[in-house]
Amino acid sequence: MQWLKLNCVHRLYLIKGWDETHFGKMGSYYINRTFFFDVHPPLGKMLIGLAGYLSGYNGSFSFQRPGQSYETHNYLGMRGFCSFLGSFLAPFAFFIVLELSQSLSAALLAAALIIFDTGCITLSQYILLDPILMFFILGALLGMVKFCSCADRPFSSVWWMWLSLTGVNLAGALGVKFVGLFIVALVGINTAKDLWKLLGDLTLTLEVFLRHLTARVLCLIVLPACLYFLIFAVHFTVLNRSGSGDGFFSSAFQSRLIGNNLHNASMPEHLAYGSTITLKSLRTAAGYLHSHWHLYPEGVGVRQQQVTTYSHKDQNNLWIIKKHNSERDPGSPVEFVRHGDIIRLEHKVTGRNLHSHQREAPLTKKHLQVTAYGTNGTGDSNDYWRIEVLGSRSKVKVLRSRIRLLHLSTGCLLGSSGKTLPKWGWEQGEVTCSPYVRESPSTLWNVEDHENPMLANISVSILKPTYLEILIESHIVMLRANSGLKPKEHEVTSRPWHWPINFQGLRFSGVNATDFRVYLLGNPVIWWLNLACLGIYVILGICAAVSLKRAIPMSDQVKDCYLLLLEGGGQLMLGWLLHYCPFYFMGRVLYFHHYFPAMLFSSMLTGMTYSVLLKFCTRFLPSTLHHSTYMAGMCFVHLILLYSFYLFHPLSYGMMGALAESRDSPMFGLRWMESWEF
C-alpha cells in the first residue's frame, strides 16, 4: 500500500517525462500569447493550451526538465484532456472493426488489443500530441467506414453527417502533425475507388454522379482546407507577442509581433548608398551577418578577421553599403542600390570590408572562406560583390526583398552553412562563399535594420506580410526544420524495422533504482500477435484473391470470409502500410512513438484476421462444436491479453525500487529482449 501511495504521488506531481516538457511549455505559450516555433502544425498545442486555460492553469510553470515538481500549478487539465482523447481509441477501433467485419467478437478483440497495450496507455496519460493525433486519425477512419455504410441512402442527413465528420477529422489530423497526410491519402484512395464504382453504375445519371462528386469535394477537400487555414489564422492571432520563435522567421514576419524591435518601427523603405544595415539570413534560425575584432586562428584559412552569423541583436551586425570603386560625396543626391550593382560592405565597428578569396572555409569543404579585410574601408578587389534581387530587377526593399551577394572574383555566393564554429569562433554560425549558385535559403538574405539620414522613414507596418504569405512561410520553415531534425547527444532514436517487433522502447523518466521510472514499450504479447497476424493476413489474402479469381467452389461462409478479408481487411492493411512504410524514406530523426498510428491499424487488422482464422479452424470440427470452439478461442486470447497486461503494466504506471535484474523488481524475468532498458 505504501508503494502504491508513492506511485500515485510521483505520477501526479513529479513526472514530466520526455516530450511533456516540450508540449506543456507550448501550451503555456498560448496562454501567455507568446510566439514560438515548432516543426508540427499548431492544433495539438492549441488544444493543450485551451485545456490548461479552461482548467485554471495560468501558464507560469517553466517546464524545464523531466522529473521537475509541478508544485501548486494546475496541470491536470492538460493531462486529463490528452487522456480523455486517448480513451476514445478503443471505442473507435471497436466501431470501425464492427462496421467492416459485422463481427462483434472481432470488434471486441480489436478494442482489447488497444486497451491492454502498455504503449497506448503511456502515450495517453501525459501532455503529448500522440493521443490527439490518433484520436483524429481513427475519427476520420470511423467517419469514412460509417459513410460507406450509408451508400444505400445517398444525400440523407446521416450520409452528410458522416461525410462532413470525416472531413473535420482529416483537418484535425493534419492540423496536429504532418503525418496526418497518411490518413488523408487513405480516405482519398477510398473515395477515388468509390467514385469509380459510381461512375460504372449505369443506373445513375451523370447529374447524380456529379452531385456525388461535388459532395465529396466540398466535404473532403474544401471543408478540411478551410478548417486547416482557420487553425493557422487562430494560431497567428493568439500568438501576437515576440518570443523564442521569432528568429526562425523572416524580418517581415517578425514585424507583426508585439515586443519585437521591428514592431511599429520606422526606417527608409529602399536601400541607398551610405546606408547602415543589418543582413539576416533566410536559412532557418541562422541569424545576422556579423563580424568582430577576433581573427581566424592559425591553420584555418587566412588569418583575417572572422565573419559569422549571430542570432542576437548586436552592434557588430551593422554594415555600411558603399560603391565598389568610390566613396559617396556627402553633397551628392541620394543614389539607390539596384539589382546588378557592384558594392562593398564595410563593417561599421571595425572598418573592414566583407571579403572572400580562394581559401577553404573553416568547416564546409569546397566552400570558400569569408573574412573582413582592409583598413577604414580600403581593401582590394576581393571585397567586391554583385547584389541580386530575386523576383525583381529594381530597388532593394527593406524586410521584403530577398537578395543574393555574388562574389565578383570567384563567382561564389555569400551564405550561411548552418554549422557552428568551435570556441575560437565563439560558437557562432559559419559564413562561407558557396560555389553552388542554385537558389537556396542558405544564400538568401534580407535587409532588416536600415538607417540613412538622407532618406525619409516609413512605418514598417505597411510592409507586413499578408495572411497567405505568413501561412506559406510558416509551412516552408516547418518543413525545412522537420526534414533537418537530427538526434541530440545521448538521445535514444530508432529505425522503422525496430518498431513492429517492439525492439526498443523509450525512457519517459528515471534511470536509477531511486527514480520513479516510466518506460514506453508496447505490450510484447500484443505487438508480436499483431506482427504474426500481419503475416497470416498476407497468406490468407493471397489465398482468397486466387480462389475468388479462379472461381474455386466454396461454401457461402468461406466466400463471405474471403470477401471480408479482401475488402474490410484490405482497407486496414492499406492504412497500416501508409502509416508505416513512408518512414523508411524519411531523412529526419525517428522515434519509437512514430509507429503508434500504424499500430492501431495492425491491431484492428489482428481482430479481423484472428476471427476469420478461428472460423476456418472450426470447419475441421463437427458443426455442433463450431460456435463453442470459436468462443473458447476468443476467450483464450482475451485472457492472454489480460495476463500480459498484468505483467507489463508497471511500465506504464511507473516503478520505483529495484531494477529488472533484481528478484525484488516487479519486472524481474520480463526483460525478454536485451534491447529493452527498463
Side-chain angles (χ1 to χ4, degrees):
M1 185 60 69
Q2 185 64 26
W3 178 87
L4 181 61
K5 289 180 180 178
L6 283 171
N7 187 316
C8 292
V9 168
H10 278 80
R11 285 188 64 228
L12 290 177
Y13 301 112
L14 296 180
I15 289 297
K16 281 184 6 308
W18 188 53
D19 269 0
E20 190 169 50
T21 57
H22 191 60
F23 298 118
K25 183 182 293 185
M26 291 177 181
S28 298
Y29 286 144
Y30 278 105
I31 294 172
N32 297 318
R33 306 193 68 175
T34 304
F35 188 76
F36 68 93
F37 169 71
D38 186 46
V39 297
H40 305 301
L43 179 60
K45 283 94 65 180
M46 277 200 295
L47 293 175
I48 288 170
L50 178 62
Y53 177 77
L54 294 177
S55 61
Y57 171 60
N58 61 8
S60 61
F61 187 65
S62 60
F63 285 98
Q64 289 181 339
R65 64 186 185 280
Q68 181 183 1
S69 172
Y70 279 110
E71 299 173 343
T72 59
H73 294 274
N74 188 358
Y75 66 96
L76 288 176
M78 294 184 287
R79 275 195 185 172
F81 171 73
C82 294
S83 298
F84 177 71
L85 294 190
S87 69
F88 279 88
L89 300 181
F92 280 179
F94 172 85
F95 287 113
I96 290 167
V97 175
L98 184 63
E99 196 63 55
L100 291 175
S101 68
Q102 299 301 310
S103 170
L104 181 62
S105 299
L108 285 171
L109 179 56
L113 290 167
I114 295 172
I115 290 171
F116 295 129
D117 181 58
T118 50
C120 286
I121 292 171
T122 305
L123 287 178
S124 295
Q125 62 186 348
Y126 296 109
I127 305 171
L128 302 172
L129 296 186
D130 301 271
I132 308 173
L133 172 67
M134 292 189 288
F135 170 86
F136 284 119
I137 288 174
L138 288 195
L141 183 62
L142 177 62
M144 183 187 79
V145 299
K146 283 289 191 181
F147 168 73
C148 292
S149 71
C150 299
D152 58 339
R153 291 168 286 166
F155 308 109
S156 63
S157 57
V158 69
W159 186 90
W160 280 108
M161 180 189 75
W162 286 115
L163 185 60
S164 300
L165 284 176
T166 303
V168 169
N169 281 286
L170 289 178
L174 190 56
V176 175
K177 285 188 177 183
F178 285 125
V179 293
L181 282 170
F182 302 152
I183 188 64
V184 172
L186 178 62
V187 172
I189 292 170
N190 186 77
T191 302
K193 179 183 173 183
D194 185 34
L195 286 171
W196 185 253
K197 182 179 177 181
L198 290 173
L199 186 61
D201 186 353
L202 300 182
T203 63
L204 295 180
T205 64
L206 185 59
E207 180 185 354
V208 173
F209 174 77
L210 290 175
R211 287 177 61 197
H212 276 280
L213 176 62
T214 303
R216 287 159 174 79
V217 169
L218 287 174
C219 293
L220 300 181
I221 298 178
V222 176
L223 176 61
C226 291
L227 291 175
Y228 186 75
F229 295 151
L230 179 62
I231 289 167
F232 276 90
V234 174
H235 170 72
F236 295 134
T237 301
V238 173
L239 301 184
N240 63 350
R241 296 175 183 167
S242 178
S244 60
D246 294 18
F248 289 88
F249 291 83
S250 68
S251 304
F253 186 101
Q254 294 179 43
S255 68
R256 46 180 295 280
L257 299 172
I258 299 171
N260 189 282
N261 67 300
L262 293 173
H263 184 69
N264 290 334
S266 60
M267 62 183 70
E269 182 177 7
H270 294 105
L271 198 60
Y273 288 102
S275 294
T276 300
I277 64 172
T278 61
L279 287 174
K280 186 175 187 297
S281 173
L282 296 190
R283 185 186 181 96
T284 302
Y288 302 92
L289 186 67
H290 177 95
S291 188
H292 40 236
W293 287 105
H294 304 281
L295 308 181
Y296 286 101
E298 291 287 349
V300 180
V302 176
R303 191 169 168 77
Q304 295 176 0
Q305 185 170 297
Q306 296 174 16
V307 173
T308 64
T309 56
Y310 187 52
S311 58
H312 302 285
K313 294 286 185 178
D314 190 284
Q315 286 296 308
N316 282 326
N317 299 340
L318 297 175
W319 301 82
I320 303 171
I321 188 164
K322 297 186 175 182
K323 290 190 173 183
H324 73 288
N325 56 359
S326 64
E327 294 289 335
R328 179 181 173 276
D329 184 354
S332 63
V334 172
E335 187 175 350
F336 290 104
V337 179
R338 298 179 182 274
H339 171 82
D341 284 3
I342 299 173
I343 64 168
R344 281 183 295 128
L345 283 175
E346 180 184 322
H347 190 242
K348 184 175 182 180
V349 173
T350 63
R352 290 173 174 163
N353 295 329
L354 186 70
H355 179 97
S356 188
H357 43 230
Q358 293 286 353
R359 294 296 182 93
E360 196 171 66
L363 303 179
T364 306
K365 306 308 177 187
K366 298 185 179 179
H367 287 215
L368 302 182
Q369 183 187 31
V370 175
T371 67
Y373 173 75
T375 305
N376 295 325
T378 302
D380 60 24
S381 60
N382 281 331
D383 303 340
Y384 299 163
W385 303 81
R386 176 180 286 115
I387 191 164
E388 297 179 350
V389 185
L390 269 66
S392 172
R393 293 291 183 266
S394 58
K395 295 181 283 189
V396 180
K397 183 179 291 189
V398 296
L399 303 187
R400 303 306 298 270
S401 291
R402 299 184 304 155
I403 64 174
R404 303 198 305 180
L405 292 172
L406 180 73
H407 191 243
L408 211 59
S409 299
T410 63
C412 59
L413 291 169
L414 182 72
S416 167
S417 70
K419 299 177 181 178
T420 302
L421 294 170
K423 289 186 178 179
W424 56 255
W426 304 94
E427 297 182 340
Q428 295 174 5
E430 181 193 34
V431 171
T432 68
C433 203
S434 170
Y436 307 107
V437 296
R438 65 183 184 277
E439 184 179 330
S440 164
S442 301
T443 55
L444 294 178
W445 305 80
N446 72 266
V447 178
E448 182 165 299
D449 299 292
H450 182 205
E451 297 177 6
N452 192 321
M454 302 293 293
L455 297 173
N457 290 343
I458 64 163
S459 173
V460 298
S461 61
I462 67 173
L463 302 175
K464 287 181 181 178
T466 64
Y467 168 72
L468 184 60
E469 287 174 324
I470 62 177
L471 180 69
I472 293 172
E473 179 180 348
S474 64
H475 279 75
I476 292 172
V477 172
M478 282 190 293
L479 291 171
R480 283 177 185 160
N482 212 322
S483 62
L485 284 176
K486 303 299 179 187
K488 303 181 183 69
E489 190 176 1
H490 306 304
E491 189 174 33
V492 177
T493 62
S494 61
R495 298 179 181 179
W497 69 266
H498 292 173
W499 303 339
I501 63 175
N502 214 20
F503 179 76
Q504 186 178 37
L506 191 64
R507 285 196 187 103
F508 263 42
S509 62
V511 177
N512 303 313
T514 55
D515 298 330
F516 182 80
R517 304 184 302 280
V518 174
Y519 190 71
L520 177 64
L521 185 74
N523 182 328
V525 173
I526 291 174
W527 284 53
W528 294 341
L529 176 62
N530 285 347
L531 184 62
C533 285
L534 283 169
I536 293 170
Y537 174 81
V538 171
I539 295 170
L540 291 178
I542 293 173
C543 292
V546 172
S547 298
L548 292 172
K549 194 69 174 177
R550 297 295 300 173
I552 294 174
M554 65 187 78
S555 66
D556 290 342
Q557 182 185 12
V558 172
K559 186 175 182 179
D560 289 343
C561 287
Y562 278 167
L563 291 172
L564 168 68
L565 279 174
L566 294 177
E567 294 174 4
Q571 291 195 44
L572 297 177
M573 186 66 175
L574 179 60
W576 179 79
L577 291 171
L578 287 172
H579 285 81
Y580 174 55
C581 292
F583 288 102
Y584 281 96
F585 306 99
M586 293 185 185
R588 56 154 290 172
V589 61
L590 299 173
Y591 303 102
F592 177 50
H593 70 94
H594 287 142
Y595 182 68
F596 277 83
M599 179 266 175
L600 297 178
F601 283 90
S602 67
S603 295
M604 291 185 287
L605 184 60
T606 295
M608 294 181 63
T609 304
Y610 184 78
S611 174
V612 170
L613 184 63
L614 268 183
K615 289 177 181 178
F616 283 159
C617 291
T618 59
R619 294 185 69 248
F620 297 100
L621 300 174
S623 58
T624 55
L625 297 177
H626 283 187
H627 181 70
S628 58
T629 304
Y630 176 83
M631 295 309 298
M634 280 293 178
C635 290
F636 173 75
V637 75
H638 278 276
L639 289 173
I640 292 294
L641 297 181
L642 182 60
Y643 182 64
S644 67
F645 173 72
Y646 167 74
L647 292 177
F648 287 95
H649 79 275
L651 296 178
S652 295
Y653 296 110
M655 307 166 282
M656 286 193 71
L659 301 178
E661 292 78 9
S662 171
R663 290 185 175 274
D664 296 330
S665 171
M667 302 306 297
F668 177 71
L670 296 176
R671 194 165 173 240
W672 297 343
M673 296 183 72
E674 287 295 323
S675 52
W676 296 349
E677 298 175 317
F678 54 76

